[in-house]
Amino acid sequence: MDAEKIIESLKKRGFEAVYAADKKEAVEKALSYIPEGSSVSWGGSVSIEESGLLDKIRAGNYKVIDRSLGKTPEEKTELMRKGLLADTFLTSFNAVSEDGVVFNIDGNGNRVAAIAFGPSSVVALVGINKIVKTEKDLEERALKVAAPKNARRLQLSDEKDICAIFVRTRICRVKGRIKIILVGEELGY
């Protein structure tokens, strides 16, 4: 994997992209994109949990919109809707191609909706384990690697339940709105 080449490919497509050697550096870079006092939300992402970023956000000076705090399914859904209007949305991608295309599969749609349109800033932490050679390989990695692991994590009886919405992002139309931090170690699924 040539991290510099991938970063340049992402930049050519309008993403803001940087490299971080490890999780600690990735969290520092992510926090530099999030102004104190701003609202922050996220979708289901093992990568941002494993990195320690959520702990820093919860402990920091941010207006946190955390769907896990909803006491009922309706409250959780309402918090997911509010997350679509957060100043910053935290996420990862199921796969990133070397030529700079990103891909996600989502169950509820809140994560891909926020990535596609909503928050003025999206910050994504992506481990090197999610890099694939070509755009053609994106969906295969998401279906064969990420989806089964996420289905087990969420205790779903059928991994097809998590494969409801597929989104391939080829260009970041609002230049720099989506910030991708490529992490030089494995992170998430």
Side-chain angles (χ1 to χ4, degrees):
M1 177 204 70
D2 184 345
E4 277 187 40
K5 178 184 169 198
I6 296 165
I7 295 293
E8 286 309 308
S9 295
L10 289 163
K11 287 179 178 179
K12 285 179 186 173
R13 294 180 179 273
F15 299 100
E16 185 167 329
V18 297
Y19 180 78
D22 56 29
K23 293 175 206 170
K24 183 178 185 223
E25 184 181 346
V27 168
E28 290 170 9
K29 287 182 185 279
L31 291 171
S32 75
Y33 291 127
I34 308 167
E36 285 196 24
S38 64
S39 60
V40 182
S41 191
W42 54 87
S45 171
V46 172
S47 295
I48 60 172
E49 288 177 31
E50 283 180 356
S51 71
L53 179 56
L54 290 187
D55 294 334
K56 296 279 190 185
I57 292 296
R58 287 181 175 124
N61 180 23
Y62 304 101
K63 297 172 194 150
V64 174
I65 303 168
D66 184 350
R67 72 178 179 184
S68 70
L69 299 179
K71 294 181 176 78
T72 65
E74 295 79 16
E75 284 181 11
K76 287 181 182 192
T77 298
E78 187 57 29
L79 286 167
M80 284 190 277
R81 284 192 179 108
K82 287 181 180 179
L84 295 174
L85 298 175
D87 297 317
T88 301
F89 191 84
L90 307 174
T91 192
S92 187
F93 293 104
N94 296 137
V96 176
S97 67
E98 289 181 4
D99 62 349
V101 179
V102 299
F103 188 84
N104 264 328
I105 295 177
D106 202 354
N108 294 319
N110 65 303
R111 184 168 63 123
V112 294
I115 292 166
F117 185 83
S120 56
S121 179
V122 174
V123 177
L125 274 59
V126 179
I128 59 168
N129 51 309
K130 297 181 179 186
I131 302 301
V132 297
K133 188 76 178 155
T134 70
E135 187 174 345
K136 292 178 184 176
D137 302 318
L138 292 167
E139 189 172 321
E140 182 177 356
R141 186 198 183 280
L143 286 170
K144 292 185 177 176
V145 178
K149 290 179 179 182
N150 276 311
R152 281 192 297 279
R153 174 178 65 91
L154 297 171
Q155 300 176 345
L156 299 173
S157 59
D158 186 347
E159 71 184 58
K160 291 178 186 146
D161 292 342
I162 203 165
C163 297
I165 303 163
F166 294 50
V167 174
R168 175 185 317 255
T169 307
R170 300 187 73 247
I171 297 169
C172 183
R173 292 278 309 264
V174 177
K175 191 172 172 111
R177 178 182 163 267
I178 300 174
K179 296 144 187 73
I180 299 173
I181 302 167
L182 181 61
V183 185
E185 60 187 13
E186 291 196 11
L187 194 58
Y189 310 140

